[in-house]
């Protein structure tokens, strides 16, 4: 690159001239005591709740407990850099983060500072991390689907844009995998006129896990439309506490500007734990499981921010996928029950299913989507009803099948159908499937075309059939995509195509 | 705790009512601070006043002999009552509360001036007079030296910090230029 020395000189001169030479005026206080990431300060008489305060050595904090004689502030940085007697400055603004498309493809901390070494983020706008959720009149019922690309979810637990769907399960059951697959699947929306921008909030996770995840998103081309907000396990509890709110503010930018956003909070149990630590250190009274009294509000005010906006406000949406980790499958613990009651449904992942090779390990019986049904495309709705019924009957009969060797014909048929259904709902990680392909394979199974296929060959059949559709009957897939419905005509065309493939299989 | 707050309020209000001028305030607050820091730093003195076995008269006698000549009369009487009631552990709170009350009443501001090098006394006087005029308050001023400022002054008036130090200006310039 050609460097012109005069230009650099002039540029520097103009920048230096622009620097404000006025006296710095700040309202200050003094650190009375510091420990466990919390500072008690005197002074700061007119500080606001949640205001950002500045300590020496570039450590920032947030004023939380405004008491008569002192102010309790939580630190976002290394508390060993702050000592008793240090000066603390008011900044006059509540905690804000940069928002906008400039953040896409970036990994940031909960204060919006870049962590990926790709240089500063030149966002034009900022938003406060704590914002009031929208009222009733500004909202609109969920009506557009948000495809996860996972057959079991898109068919039976459909998610709509603006919905809050909880992903819940024990450790190592593939909770994050579902969220990541959903983000990867949004790539296809970027070829349409309503793209979905994603925000992934990693709370209390290992830095190595997050690094792996970012690499995975990058290799799948998903980072182009995604922002990752990271508060690692080693970060101070206050950062882990604010991370979901920061991510939410970033997601709300898309919603408020008539676009569509998807936000994943992975996971909120760790955020609640961080909040518990912070509250106990701030000497707020502990309640059930030692969580403070406002732990419900902690999550409800966060999840209420996900919404579908009315047409007057631009029809934008923000869909939230909070993740909660249970202990030994106990969904009746404090935090899981709270979040279940706030969200519009949950995807329950089961350890036994996971270990039994059913992946994603979605327990269809316990999972539910309260509003997504209205957002499902007609074709999927038609076949999903049958699929749900087949699976429910199969689950009831499955127990008998283990004991009885000779079953009557209809029971045996139901078990055969159920087993094949379970088999086709299995899906590998990082390979989300388009809706029309999902419809095609589930349609084939629900019409009984797989009943006489060996269980071990179901996967092979699925791959072959989809390839067959792709190569020889692309018009079927196109029509499915275009109309979103299976008309009688299309149905018979599909039947023909499946029969044709079966002959060669 | 509530009981203690009540007591602190009674003692400090009494002192506040008795203080009418800036000079009085200065002498009371200085003596209170001295006494409080003596209690903190000298464990023997502290143990003596807090002891349950030593008679109150004995405590008051010793206290009178030690401080009567140098101490403001009203404060002397108040402290005697404090010792009588065994409230000696509230001294620092009483001092803080008294300062808060009297500051308001007598229109006093606490000012800390930090400079990079020593300031001569005529300059100190200039700073004091112009500041007092500027904020329209009587001021209790304290000068400090911190060479890391490089140049300029840092003036803290109660909770407000006016920073014209070279160190801060350079840091601001750095953050603007580097964009951090």
């Amino acid at each position: 690159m050609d460097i012109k020395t005069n230009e650099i000189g002039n540029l520097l001169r103009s920048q230096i001239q622009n620097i404000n030479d006025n006296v710095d005026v700040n309202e200050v206080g003094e650190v009375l005591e510091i420990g466990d990431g919390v500072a008690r300060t005197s002074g700061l008489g007119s500080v606001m709740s949640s205001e950002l305060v500045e300590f020496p050595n570039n450590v920032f904090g947030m004023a939380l407990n405004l008491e008569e004689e002192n102010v309790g502030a939580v630190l976002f940085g290394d508390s060993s850099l702050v000592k008793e007697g240090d000066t603390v400055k008011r900044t006059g603004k509540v905690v804000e983060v940069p928002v906008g498309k400039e953040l896409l493809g970036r990994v940031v901390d909960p204060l919006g500072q870049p962590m990926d070494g790709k240089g500063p983020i030149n966002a034009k706008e900022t938003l406060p991390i704590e914002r009031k959720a929208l009222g009733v009149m500004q909202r609109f019922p969920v009506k557009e689907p948000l495809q996860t690309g996972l057959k079991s979810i898109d068919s039976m637990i459909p998610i709509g844009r603006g919905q809050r769907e909880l992903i819940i399960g024990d450790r190592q059951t593939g909770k994050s995998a579902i969220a990541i697959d959903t983000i990867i699947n949004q790539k296809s929306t970027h070829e349409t006129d309503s793209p979905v921008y994603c925000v992934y909030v990693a709370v209390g996770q290992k830095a190595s896990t997050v690094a792996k995840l970012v690499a995975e998103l990058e290799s799948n081309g998903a980072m182009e439309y995604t922002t990752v907000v990271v508060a690692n396990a080693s970060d101070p509890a206050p950062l882990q506490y604010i991370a979901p709110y920061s991510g939410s503010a970033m997601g709300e930018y898309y919603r408020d500007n008539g676009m569509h956003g998807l936000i994943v909070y992975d996971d909120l149990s760790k955020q609640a734990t961080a909040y518990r630590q912070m509250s106990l250190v701030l000497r707020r009274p502990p309640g059930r499981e030692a969580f403070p009294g406002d732990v419900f509000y902690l999550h409800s005010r966060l999840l209420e921010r996900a919404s579908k906006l009315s047409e007057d406000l631009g029809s934008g949406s923000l869909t939230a996928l909070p993740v909660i980790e249970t202990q030994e499958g106990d969904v009746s613990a404090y935090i899981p029950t709270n979040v279940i009651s706030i969200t519009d449904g949950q995807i329950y992942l089961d350890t036994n299913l996971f270990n039994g090779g059913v992946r994603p390990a979605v327990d269809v019986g316990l999972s539910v989507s309260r509003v997504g049904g209205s957002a499902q495309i007609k074709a999927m709705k038609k076949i999903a009803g049958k699929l749900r019924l087949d699976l429910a009957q199969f689950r009831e009969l499955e127990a008998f099948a283990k004991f009885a060797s000779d079953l009557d014909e209809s029971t045996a048929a139901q078990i055969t159908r159920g087993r094949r259904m379970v088999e086709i709902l299995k899906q590998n990680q990082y390979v989300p499937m388009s809706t029309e392909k999902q419809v095609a394979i589930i349609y084939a199974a629900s019409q009984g075309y797989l009943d006489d296929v060996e269980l071990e060959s179901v996967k092979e059949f699925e791959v072959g059939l989809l390839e067959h559709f792709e190569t020889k009957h692309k018009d079927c897939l196109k029509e499915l995509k275009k109309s979103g419905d299976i008309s009688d005509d299309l149905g018979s065309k599909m039947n023909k195509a499946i029969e044709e493939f079966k002959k060669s299989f | 705790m509530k009981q203690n707050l009540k007591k602190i309020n009674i003692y400090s209000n009494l002192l506040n009512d008795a203080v009418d001028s800036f000079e009085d305030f200065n002498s009371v607050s200085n003596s209170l601070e001295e006494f409080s820091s003596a209690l903190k730093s000298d464990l023997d003195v502290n143990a003596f006043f807090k002891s349950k076995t030593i008679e109150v008269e004995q405590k008051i006698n010793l206290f009178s002999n030690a401080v009567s000549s140098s101490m403001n009369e009203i404060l002397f009487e108040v402290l005697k009552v404090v010792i009588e009631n065994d409230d000696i552990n509230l001294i620092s709170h009483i001092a803080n509360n008294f300062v808060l009350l009297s500051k308001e009443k007598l229109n006093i501001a606490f000012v800390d001036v930090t400079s990079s090098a020593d300031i001569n006394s005529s300059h100190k006087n200039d700073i004091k007079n112009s500041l007092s005029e500027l904020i329209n308050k009587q001021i209790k001023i304290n000068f400090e030296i911190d060479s890391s400022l490089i140049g300029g002054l840092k003036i803290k008036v109660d909770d407000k910090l006016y920073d014209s130090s070279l160190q801060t200006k350079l840091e601001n310039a750095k953050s603007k230029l580097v964009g951090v």
Side-chain angles (χ1 to χ4, degrees), chain A residues 15 23-28, chain B residues 159-163 173 177:
Chain A
Q15 284 202 1
V23 176
D24 238 33
V25 185
N26 286 299
E27 201 175 314
V28 293
Chain B
D159 279 355
K160 276 245 159 76
L161 179 71
Y162 300 85
D163 190 347
L177 287 174

Side-chain angles (χ1 to χ4, degrees), chain B:
Chain B
M1 192 63 204
K2 262 194 177 161
Q3 195 81 22
N4 283 348
L5 275 179
K6 268 188 191 166
K7 281 182 181 172
I8 292 166
N9 279 335
I10 292 170
Y11 291 128
S12 48
N13 276 322
L14 196 83
L15 280 172
N16 182 38
D17 290 343
V19 168
D20 285 324
S21 68
F22 184 53
E23 285 70 35
D24 275 354
F25 167 78
N26 254 343
S27 84
V28 170
S29 65
N30 286 345
S31 310
L32 252 178
E33 201 151 299
E34 258 173 41
F35 186 58
S36 163
S37 59
L39 281 175
K40 265 187 201 160
S41 57
D42 197 327
L43 291 178
D44 288 338
V45 177
N46 199 327
F48 172 78
F49 281 111
K50 284 186 182 167
S51 165
K52 303 276 181 200
T53 49
I54 298 168
E55 292 289 321
V56 175
E57 283 79 29
Q58 216 176 334
K59 289 183 190 174
I60 292 179
N61 274 339
L62 189 112
F63 173 70
S64 310
N65 291 335
V67 298
S68 63
S69 57
S70 59
M71 195 173 262
N72 179 298
E73 269 177 45
I74 305 149
L75 179 64
F76 178 66
E77 290 304 319
V78 171
L79 285 182
K80 273 199 332 201
V81 181
V82 170
I83 295 166
E84 244 174 58
N85 290 338
D86 207 10
D87 288 333
I88 205 82
N89 50 343
L90 303 178
I91 284 289
S92 61
H93 298 284
I94 295 170
N96 288 342
N97 215 27
F98 162 72
V99 168
L100 278 178
L101 291 170
S102 299
K103 249 177 77 179
E104 192 89 6
K105 181 182 154 190
L106 299 170
N107 197 22
I108 301 169
F110 279 63
V111 177
D112 289 319
V113 178
T114 317
S115 56
S116 58
D118 199 8
I119 310 174
N120 63 37
S121 48
S122 76
H123 278 139
K124 279 183 183 171
N125 264 335
D126 283 350
I127 292 173
K128 190 176 174 181
N129 294 336
S130 50
L131 270 175
S132 179
E133 215 169 287
L134 198 72
I135 57 177
N136 201 17
K137 279 184 176 179
Q138 305 195 69
I139 56 174
K140 194 170 177 184
I141 199 160
N142 177 33
F143 288 93
E144 276 171 35
I145 298 171
D146 180 358
S147 58
S148 67
L149 294 193
I150 308 172
L153 288 177
K154 260 188 187 178
I155 301 175
K156 188 175 163 241
V157 182
D158 288 335
D159 279 355
K160 276 245 159 76
L161 179 71
Y162 300 85
D163 190 347
S164 68
S165 71
L166 213 52
Q167 180 198 31
T168 310
K169 280 184 184 170
L170 284 171
E171 265 168 23
N172 287 348
K174 180 184 160 194
S175 65
K176 279 251 168 89
L177 287 174
V178 182
V180 177

Side-chain angles (χ1 to χ4, degrees), chain A residues 55-103:
Chain A
F55 292 90
N57 298 318
N58 233 356
V59 175
F60 283 88
M62 182 165 68
L64 275 185
N65 272 22
L66 311 183
E67 288 164 21
E68 204 175 333
E69 296 204 338
N70 58 48
V71 173
V74 291
L75 266 62
F76 294 141
D78 186 357
S79 56
S80 64
L81 295 172
V82 181
K83 56 186 191 306
E84 196 185 320
D86 274 348
T87 304
V88 50
K89 280 187 209 165
R90 272 188 68 183
T91 60
K93 44 185 186 181
V94 290
V95 184
E96 285 183 337
V97 284
V99 296
K101 287 190 176 172
E102 292 83 0
L103 283 148

Side-chain angles (χ1 to χ4, degrees), chain A residues 136-196:
Chain A
V136 178
M137 296 316 288
Q138 287 107 323
R139 292 175 188 246
F140 205 72
V142 171
K143 59 173 184 181
E144 302 133 295
L146 184 117
Q147 306 293 354
T148 62
L150 297 166
K151 285 171 279 187
S152 49
I153 295 174
D154 286 345
S155 57
M156 288 177 292
I157 318 147
I159 301 171
R161 292 187 183 180
Q163 188 178 343
R164 290 111 9 119
E165 182 78 10
L166 170 67
I167 302 172
I168 187 167
D170 275 4
R171 50 178 280 279
Q172 293 292 315
T173 47
K175 300 183 297 297
S176 304
I178 288 183
I180 301 302
D181 278 354
T182 310
I183 291 179
I184 293 173
N185 193 48
Q186 301 316 310
K187 196 173 184 185
S188 58
T189 65
H190 286 260
E191 289 149 16
T192 65
D193 55 357
S194 58
V196 178

Side-chain angles (χ1 to χ4, degrees), chain A residues 168-447:
Chain A
I168 187 167
D170 275 4
R171 50 178 280 279
Q172 293 292 315
T173 47
K175 300 183 297 297
S176 304
I178 288 183
I180 301 302
D181 278 354
T182 310
I183 291 179
I184 293 173
N185 193 48
Q186 301 316 310
K187 196 173 184 185
S188 58
T189 65
H190 286 260
E191 289 149 16
T192 65
D193 55 357
S194 58
V196 178
Y197 298 97
C198 307
V199 180
Y200 181 87
V201 185
V203 185
Q205 297 193 34
K206 285 180 287 184
S208 60
T209 314
V210 181
K212 208 174 123 200
L213 179 142
V214 172
E216 207 59 62
L217 286 177
E218 238 155 32
S219 68
N220 284 289
M223 270 312 272
E224 288 160 26
Y225 54 86
T226 305
T227 306
V228 179
V229 182
V230 186
N232 287 324
S234 58
D235 285 331
L239 274 183
Q240 297 184 36
Y241 154 66
I242 66 160
Y245 297 100
S246 307
S248 190
M250 291 169 192
E252 277 175 327
Y253 168 82
Y254 304 114
R255 182 197 70 184
D256 295 344
N257 287 287
M259 294 177 268
H260 299 276
L262 165 71
I263 184 159
V264 177
Y265 305 111
D266 196 0
D267 65 49
L268 289 186
S269 355
K270 293 206 180 72
Q271 190 220 7
T273 316
Y275 186 57
R276 170 169 64 184
Q277 177 191 328
M278 226 175 71
S279 303
L280 290 174
V281 175
L282 280 168
R283 294 186 203 145
R284 292 180 180 178
R288 181 176 161 190
E289 290 178 27
F291 286 105
D294 62 343
V295 76
F296 183 86
Y297 183 56
L298 170 83
H299 291 145
S300 65
R301 72 171 189 268
L302 172 71
L303 294 168
E304 270 298 297
R305 288 163 70 173
S307 51
K308 166 79 189 156
L309 292 198
S310 67
E311 277 169 24
D312 297 343
L313 292 172
S315 297
S317 73
L318 179 65
T319 313
L321 294 181
V323 176
I324 288 281
E325 186 183 292
T326 51
Q327 306 294 330
E328 302 290 321
D330 182 13
V331 285
S332 60
Y334 193 23
I335 303 300
T337 44
N338 276 354
V339 184
I340 287 172
S341 73
I342 298 163
T343 48
D344 306 312
Q346 70 276 350
I347 297 167
Y348 182 75
L349 302 174
D350 188 72
T351 317
N352 292 336
L353 285 176
F354 187 86
N355 294 336
V358 181
R359 293 174 199 179
V362 179
D363 185 324
V364 186
L366 286 176
S367 302
V368 65
S369 172
R370 289 182 203 139
V371 293
S374 51
Q376 211 171 18
I377 62 164
K378 273 186 188 162
M380 193 59 108
K381 221 182 240 179
K382 270 184 190 166
I383 55 168
K386 182 122 181 36
L387 173 67
R388 196 178 267 278
L389 194 69
D390 281 340
L391 279 174
Q393 284 173 342
F394 167 64
R395 269 198 309 276
E396 257 178 38
L397 298 170
E398 199 186 11
F400 294 111
K402 283 177 188 156
F403 305 109
S405 52
D406 46 2
L407 295 161
D408 67 87
E409 219 168 89
S410 68
T411 313
Q414 273 170 356
I415 290 175
T416 313
R417 174 72 58 86
R419 288 212 170 114
R420 273 139 195 87
M421 286 293 193
V422 170
E423 204 60 33
I424 62 155
L425 290 180
K426 289 182 186 171
Q427 201 169 335
N428 285 339
Q429 205 178 342
Y430 309 132
V431 278
M433 192 181 272
S434 66
T435 324
E436 55 274 16
K437 283 187 181 169
Q438 291 184 28
V439 172
I441 182 66
I442 299 173
Y443 176 80
S446 62
Q447 294 294 314

